[in-house]
Amino acid sequence: MAEALTTSTSPLLSSAKDQTLHNIVQGVETQTGERFFESLIEQLAKSLGVQYAYVSELTETEGCYQLKAGWSPHGLLSRFPVLPGGPCESVLNRNIVHHPENLAALYPAGPLIKEWNVTSYYGVPLIDSSNTVVGHLAVLDDKPMPQTEETASVMRIFASRLVAEIERARLDQALRKSNLILRLVDEGTATTSGEAFFQALARNLAAALGVRYAFVGELLKEGTRVKTLAFWEGQKFIENFEYDLAGTPCEKVIRGEICHFAHGVQTLFPNDQALVELQAEGYLAIPLIASDGTVLGHLAALDVKPMSASPQDYSIFKIFAARAATELARMRLEESVHRGELILRKIVEGTAATTGDQFFQSLVKNLASALDVRYAFVSEMIPNETKVRTLAFWTGEGFLPNFEYELEHSPCKQVLAGEICHFPERIQQLFPHEEGLVELGAESYLAIPLVNQAGDVLGHLAALDVRPMPMDARLLPLFRIFGARAGAELERQTIHARLAENEERLRDLFDEAPIAYVHEGVDTRFIRANRAAMNILGITPEEVPHTFGKTFIPDTPDAQRRLQDALAAMGRGTDTGGVVLELRRKDNGKPLWIQWWSKPDPSEKYTRTMFLDITDRILMEQEKAKLEAQNTYLREEIQSVHNFEELIGESPALKTVLRNVERVAPTDSTVLITGETGTGKELMARAIHNLSPRKTKPLVKVNCAAIPSGLIESELFGHEKGAFTGALSRKIGRFELADGGTIFLDEIGEIPLDVQSKLLRVLQEGEFERVGGTKTIQVHVRVIAATNRELAQETRAGRFRPDLYYRLNVFPLALPSLRERKEDIPLLAEYFVQKYAARMGKKITGIPEIFQKTLISYGWPGNIRELEHVIERAVILSEGKSLQTITIDSQPVGDAGENEEVLTLEACERRHIEQVLEQVGWKISGPGGAAVLLGLRPTTLEARMKKLGLSRKK
């Protein structure tokens, strides 16, 4: 139409109508789709000189008329529904409506008439090729619109053009929908088969049709029930189920009809409860028909909203119903072939590994199962008699006790004469005198004679059923094969029983041996493993063929070295014996140790390996080493002086500290003890440990200042053999020794920054690795740290990690200096007098009052340790019952001159140590040495001297 109109050029236009049509066509001739409608309406309004023009379309989704395109003096209109009560309602009822004026008076309730302030209206219906109203075209104006032939002609022409475009758009949409359905279903099913095919078909069909449910059903043998092969529920597949056809919409489909219920399917089938549960509203289904016309099942789609279906939808359904029917027929054929193979496999599997009575029982049971019959039995002839004896009789539920019966009047008589006998039905009528057939309710019979190599009949193999038994041509060859097998078994029964006994004995030697046996290839792939080996390694019989022995080896230097040595020996074809290997169980990753022997098989294709589980022995040795290390440590601790006899004092400051000790001791919280040198930090740590639930476990003490910075990591966490130069054996670290107990980190501020991060990990996670090791060690240790430094200042100065400080400072415990608890000095002095007097064999009964005043007034920069050493020196010099008064080489705190320098704690400590060294002639260790007088270990004293820069002047 557009082309025909545009062929007329301006000179040929003879009327205003032609000019109007020409203008409109020029505006829309290159447009399609939504832009076509917008352009047409705009051109129509401008050409006719009206204020408003619009076109509506019936939408399938909303089920009402919606504005498709509209024009106003302000431009394109937004979409809105066409409401009843206006002139459009009459147009949509197939009427051409023209109101030249007074539109508001005619339709006072029309909202758009008032809003637009229009007075005239012209509308024509849009009727498609199927005589269906698909919308309408209308123009409105604010001035009268008289009836003219030009206006009527233009409206009719472009109504027709609009209908054509609407139909073209709907056909295009239907074509795209069909292509989408074809593509989705084809892509989902082209490369699949079986269950995956039906699942892909249902899922993609639901997506293509935009419905919630789609499923494939197979008609079962009885013809009254259906089993789903795939049921898509919008988000997932429902587990397949069976249901009765009666009262469902599927019943009609299974009769061979295409069924479509666009809406109200629940009302149409009120007895189908599944439709209610699914909230189904629409239903579309097609039967699946085989090439011989048999209905195999159906393909169905359901939705919770009304379902329309176009001819294209029916075509798509038919195509893929045919594809589904083909696949279902293929599966049934495959099932039939599989059944034949199953018969063979069941009989083979059931008899190949058995002999004697078990062979015959397995034969008849599996034969009945494979043929789907109730009874199967095997018999042998009794020599010189007219009877046979059953060797195994399967009833479908169990075995009957073997019995004898007469051949006369039974169908078995013909079989034992050397014939194959098959009676597909009416066996009781054919042999009315055989009471056994009546008792069994038999309807059909199939049997074959059992013969030996000489052709003599030894017995027969028979199957009976309570239903007719049609002959399958594939059954007779199988019957002959296994009839021959059963006949040979009758001859060789005794020999096979003996062989079975020998095989069982050999199998027991391997499978049931308490020692682990493995056959493995040169690449360590397992070929065979006995039960003991599987139990030790944590693997199942199914995992054996896929297991490599080298995967059990942990990734540690020592374990990998041992593995490479063992593999090298296997590669050379030499025997390997007694090697200890560390492994990891496959099921739970727990460590285990084995002692391993390997010998190449003469074929050189695999090795025969034997190993013993020595995990308990290794763990006992490790525990023994750990205990020995703990004992060594504890012996060293016992040999040193702990000053642990008592906590002496009655001062409020000390009592406050002791109350806090009682509060924190029962917990596992980290404690940070701070205080000046000599205030008894280690003594407090021991008090916390002894009051805690961990008191039965060791308290491991580490003086961080006495250990060289390069060795502190090894001291704390241990090291593996060869981790560094001089690491000649594995060493257990202090944290590992303290597992379950308490570790006391004295002088924590001396730990280097690089070690602080590893210490933080232990505090946070309770795990670490030894130096040079890869195995993560879990420990449960309570940490008590002590320092005489201000860690907060050290943190700000960048010498101590803030996160480690916060982790340590959970429960700070500040110990008062001795000058803050002067009331305790007499008690402490009396205690030290008695201690050293007893040690030196002296009897001292008192301390001179003047000396007590001196002790109380002195500043004690070295705190309790300095007091102890002063008392020890006084005891040494005492010769009577009264303590010798001696001079303390420092002024009391209260007597210091105004201009005299106030020493730091470190300077006081340095001066005190230097004084003691001068007193003993710089003798560090041994009796009477400075270490004994100061109550320190010689190594600790040497480290402290090095730190303070003390050395003997020459």
Side-chain angles (χ1 to χ4, degrees):
M1 174 65 73
E3 184 179 353
L5 290 172
T6 54
T7 56
S8 298
T9 56
S10 297
L12 298 178
L13 294 176
S14 59
S15 66
K17 179 181 74 174
D18 293 335
Q19 184 62 43
T20 300
L21 293 177
H22 177 74
N23 293 339
I24 295 174
V25 170
Q26 280 187 330
V28 301
E29 61 181 345
T30 61
Q31 306 293 334
T32 59
E34 298 298 323
R35 184 57 190 145
F36 166 82
F37 295 103
E38 294 173 352
S39 180
L40 182 141
I41 291 301
E42 179 183 355
Q43 293 297 326
L44 184 62
K46 291 180 179 179
S47 298
L48 295 181
V50 296
Q51 293 287 312
Y52 299 93
Y54 61 84
V55 61
S56 74
E57 180 185 13
L58 177 65
T59 60
E60 294 183 0
T61 55
E62 288 85 359
C64 65
Y65 291 92
Q66 289 276 348
L67 184 75
K68 190 169 186 67
W71 179 259
S72 72
H74 307 293
L76 292 173
L77 291 171
S78 300
R79 295 192 177 189
F80 56 83
V82 178
L83 301 175
C88 298
E89 184 176 9
S90 180
V91 178
L92 292 172
N93 287 325
R94 298 175 175 265
N95 299 311
I96 297 175
V97 177
H98 177 223
H99 297 294
E101 58 185 350
N102 299 324
L103 188 62
L106 294 172
Y107 299 97
L112 293 180
I113 297 174
K114 294 180 180 179
E115 181 182 343
W116 292 350
N117 193 24
V118 292
T119 188
S120 57
Y121 175 92
Y122 199 112
V124 296
L126 303 180
I127 302 174
D128 65 8
S129 56
S130 64
N131 200 31
T132 302
V133 177
V134 295
H136 79 299
L137 174 67
V139 293
L140 301 92
D141 203 7
D142 57 356
K143 59 184 181 296
M145 186 189 307
Q147 174 74 33
T148 66
E149 179 59 28
E150 176 186 356
T151 302
S153 177
V154 168
M155 293 292 286
R156 284 195 301 271
I157 291 172
F158 283 93
S160 176
R161 179 68 180 90
L162 284 169
V163 168
E165 181 62 22
I166 289 174
E167 287 189 320
R168 185 204 65 76
R170 289 188 174 182
L171 287 173
D172 183 60
Q173 181 181 5
L175 179 61
R176 286 198 303 271
K177 180 180 178 181
S178 298
N179 289 337
L180 175 63
I181 293 173
L182 286 171
R183 180 173 56 80
L184 282 176
V185 179
D186 185 57
E187 288 178 356
T189 61
T191 60
T192 58
S193 61
E195 183 180 4
F197 167 86
F198 294 118
Q199 287 186 344
L201 181 74
R203 181 179 63 249
N204 289 307
L205 192 60
L209 295 179
V211 298
R212 179 172 296 180
Y213 310 106
F215 71 93
V216 183
E218 179 184 12
L219 182 64
L220 299 180
K221 289 182 179 180
E222 57 266 31
T224 59
R225 290 177 63 79
V226 167
K227 177 183 178 181
T228 62
L229 301 176
F231 196 118
W232 178 250
E233 194 188 20
Q235 297 295 329
K236 65 181 185 303
F237 288 101
I238 298 177
E239 186 176 353
N240 288 327
F241 58 91
E242 296 181 9
Y243 64 93
D244 291 321
L245 284 169
T248 70
C250 307
E251 186 176 17
K252 188 176 180 182
V253 184
I254 294 300
R255 291 200 295 263
E257 303 176 25
I258 298 176
C259 289
H260 177 218
F261 304 103
H263 57 82
V265 69
Q266 293 184 40
T267 305
L268 296 172
F269 298 91
N271 295 327
D272 191 344
Q273 188 61 32
L275 296 175
V276 178
E277 295 174 358
L278 297 175
Q279 299 179 349
E281 177 67 18
Y283 176 95
L284 175 62
I286 188 168
L288 306 181
I289 302 175
S291 57
D292 60 358
T294 305
V295 176
L296 305 176
H298 68 308
L299 176 66
L302 302 91
D303 203 9
V304 296
K305 59 183 183 296
M307 283 180 61
S308 61
S310 65
Q312 291 84 358
D313 293 335
Y314 284 126
S315 299
I316 296 301
F317 246 61
K318 290 178 181 178
I319 292 171
F320 287 96
R323 175 70 179 89
T326 302
E327 178 63 19
L328 189 52
R330 184 198 66 77
M331 287 176 59
R332 288 191 173 183
L333 178 61
E334 182 179 316
E335 182 180 356
S336 177
V337 174
H338 176 70
R339 182 171 178 266
E341 295 174 350
L342 177 66
I343 294 173
L344 180 61
R345 187 175 73 251
K346 278 194 172 185
I347 298 177
V348 170
E349 291 177 352
T351 61
T354 59
T355 57
D357 294 341
Q358 291 182 351
F359 168 85
F360 295 118
Q361 288 185 349
S362 180
L363 177 72
V364 297
K365 179 179 179 180
N366 285 289
L367 186 62
S369 174
L371 296 181
D372 193 21
V373 298
R374 174 79 59 85
Y375 309 106
F377 70 94
V378 61
S379 75
E380 64 174 344
M381 291 189 68
I382 300 175
N384 303 320
E385 293 190 30
T386 59
K387 293 181 178 182
V388 292
R389 178 190 300 114
T390 62
L391 300 175
F393 197 115
W394 177 252
T395 67
E397 297 178 351
F399 292 99
L400 288 178
N402 289 325
F403 58 91
E404 299 177 2
Y405 65 95
E406 293 285 346
L407 285 173
E408 195 65 30
H409 306 304
S410 78
C412 305
K413 183 177 181 180
Q414 294 178 240
V415 183
L416 292 169
E419 301 178 19
I420 297 175
C421 291
H422 177 223
F423 302 101
E425 58 185 354
R426 302 179 67 250
I427 185 67
Q428 294 184 39
Q429 288 79 3
L430 295 173
F431 297 90
H433 301 293
E434 178 55 62
E435 296 179 356
L437 297 175
V438 178
E439 294 174 359
L440 297 174
E443 175 67 17
S444 53
Y445 176 94
L446 174 64
I448 188 171
L450 306 181
V451 297
N452 60 13
Q453 293 181 355
D456 300 324
V457 176
L458 305 176
H460 74 305
L461 180 65
L464 301 92
D465 201 14
V466 296
R467 302 167 299 176
M469 189 193 309
M471 173 54 68
D472 188 335
R474 290 171 294 181
L475 297 182
L476 285 179
L478 295 176
F479 250 58
R480 290 192 180 98
I481 292 172
F482 290 97
R485 175 72 179 89
E489 183 63 26
L490 286 175
E491 280 190 301
R492 298 190 296 270
Q493 187 169 0
T494 303
I495 298 174
H496 275 236
R498 207 176 300 128
L499 288 175
E501 183 180 353
N502 292 337
E503 289 176 359
E504 188 67 23
R505 187 180 299 113
L506 291 174
R507 190 179 297 110
D508 285 345
L509 287 175
F510 184 86
D511 289 335
E512 305 300 331
I515 298 175
Y517 291 103
V518 174
H519 293 169
E520 55 184 326
V522 293
D523 59 349
T524 76
R525 181 191 288 272
F526 281 16
I527 301 171
R528 187 181 181 190
N530 71 348
R531 187 173 290 107
M534 291 187 287
N535 289 339
I536 292 173
L537 299 175
I539 59 176
T540 62
E542 294 77 15
E543 293 174 323
V544 169
H546 312 291
T547 298
F548 287 83
K550 59 186 177 184
T551 60
F552 293 98
I553 307 297
D555 188 18
T556 62
D558 185 55
Q560 290 295 322
R561 177 184 57 78
R562 291 173 181 266
L563 171 64
Q564 296 305 320
D565 292 345
L567 292 178
M570 291 172 59
R572 293 191 299 269
T574 57
D575 295 356
T576 305
V579 176
V580 175
L581 293 177
E582 181 183 356
L583 311 179
R584 295 290 183 272
R585 286 178 60 92
K586 184 174 182 179
D587 54 356
N588 55 26
K590 289 185 178 180
L592 65 104
W593 286 263
I594 63 170
Q595 196 163 9
W596 180 71
W597 290 264
S598 180
K599 184 176 182 179
D601 187 76
S603 66
E604 297 184 353
K605 294 181 179 180
Y606 65 90
T607 62
R608 292 175 291 179
T609 298
M610 179 189 78
F611 57 87
L612 297 173
D613 185 355
I614 59 171
T615 302
D616 290 341
R617 191 185 84 190
I618 296 297
L619 292 177
M620 287 177 63
E621 291 175 354
Q622 290 181 352
E623 185 65 19
K624 179 182 176 184
K626 182 177 178 180
L627 292 174
E628 287 176 349
Q630 287 182 349
N631 290 337
T632 301
Y633 170 78
L634 292 173
R635 281 197 300 271
E636 292 175 355
E637 288 294 291
I638 290 170
Q639 291 172 1
S640 64
V641 179
H642 295 311
N643 285 345
F644 188 61
E645 286 81 354
E646 288 186 49
L647 290 169
I648 308 299
E650 293 290 337
S651 64
L654 180 60
K655 288 182 178 180
T656 299
V657 171
L658 293 179
R659 281 195 298 271
N660 287 334
V661 167
E662 291 175 349
R663 292 188 183 105
V664 76
T667 71
D668 278 341
S669 299
T670 303
V671 179
L672 178 62
I673 304 175
T674 59
E676 299 176 3
T677 300
T679 53
K681 292 186 284 294
E682 181 182 348
L683 193 61
M684 286 300 172
R686 290 186 175 278
I688 293 171
H689 175 72
N690 287 335
L691 291 173
S692 74
R694 299 170 178 262
K695 62 185 177 182
T696 58
K697 297 292 183 177
L699 169 65
V700 177
K701 184 186 76 172
V702 181
N703 189 333
C704 302
I707 304 172
S709 59
L711 296 178
I712 192 166
E713 184 178 4
S714 170
E715 187 69 23
L716 291 174
F717 308 114
H719 62 253
E720 297 288 351
K721 180 181 178 181
F724 49 84
T725 303
L728 302 179
S729 62
R730 174 187 289 176
K731 177 180 179 180
I732 297 175
R734 295 300 179 90
F735 268 97
E736 201 169 347
L737 283 174
D739 190 16
T742 306
I743 190 168
F744 175 51
L745 301 177
D746 199 6
E747 303 294 351
I748 188 71
E750 307 298 329
I751 293 183
L753 278 170
D754 57 335
V755 181
Q756 290 179 20
S757 59
K758 195 167 185 179
L759 177 59
L760 178 63
R761 180 188 172 199
V762 179
L763 291 173
Q764 290 178 333
E765 310 294 339
E767 61 183 26
F768 62 89
E769 290 86 31
R770 297 191 188 103
V771 178
T774 58
K775 175 184 175 183
T776 299
I777 298 172
Q778 299 278 346
V779 292
H780 187 215
V781 180
R782 196 227 185 118
V783 176
I784 302 175
T787 182
N788 60 3
R789 293 190 179 192
E790 289 290 339
L791 290 187
Q793 294 180 6
E794 295 292 305
T795 299
R796 289 191 291 271
R799 293 188 292 271
F800 201 83
R801 292 177 63 103
D803 46 5
L804 177 58
Y805 169 65
Y806 298 136
R807 177 64 66 173
L808 290 170
N809 199 35
V810 175
F811 193 88
L813 196 65
L815 301 188
S817 63
L818 189 55
R819 60 180 172 274
E820 294 174 307
R821 41 183 291 213
K822 289 182 177 293
E823 56 266 48
D824 291 337
I825 292 177
L827 295 174
L828 290 167
E830 181 63 30
Y831 169 75
F832 290 135
V833 167
Q834 298 304 320
K835 173 183 175 181
Y836 287 105
R839 185 179 297 180
M840 299 176 190
K842 296 183 178 182
K843 187 175 182 181
I844 300 176
T845 59
I847 303 174
E849 184 177 351
I850 188 172
F851 192 37
Q852 282 197 11
K853 292 181 179 180
T854 301
L855 295 175
I856 292 172
S857 62
Y858 179 57
W860 299 112
N863 291 292
I864 299 173
R865 186 180 296 127
E866 184 182 4
L867 173 63
E868 181 180 6
H869 296 160
V870 168
I871 297 299
E872 182 181 7
R873 188 159 65 249
V875 171
I876 294 172
L877 298 175
S878 297
E879 296 180 353
K881 293 185 178 181
S882 179
L883 184 68
Q884 177 67 43
T885 300
I886 63 173
T887 301
I888 303 175
D889 296 335
S890 182
Q891 293 182 358
V893 173
D895 296 337
E898 292 183 1
N899 297 325
E900 192 170 294
E901 180 185 2
V902 177
L903 298 178
T904 64
L905 290 176
E906 187 172 305
C908 291
E909 183 181 11
R910 184 180 189 283
R911 175 182 294 179
H912 181 62
I913 294 174
E914 187 173 21
Q915 289 174 350
V916 174
L917 287 170
E918 291 290 348
Q919 180 181 330
V920 299
W922 288 82
K923 180 180 179 181
I924 295 175
S925 60
V932 174
L933 293 178
L934 292 171
L936 300 172
R937 295 182 185 176
T939 55
T940 303
L941 178 57
E942 289 175 347
R944 184 64 67 183
M945 289 170 60
K946 182 177 180 181
K947 178 183 176 183
L948 296 173
L950 284 173
S951 61
R952 190 172 187 177
K953 298 179 181 178
K954 298 182 179 179

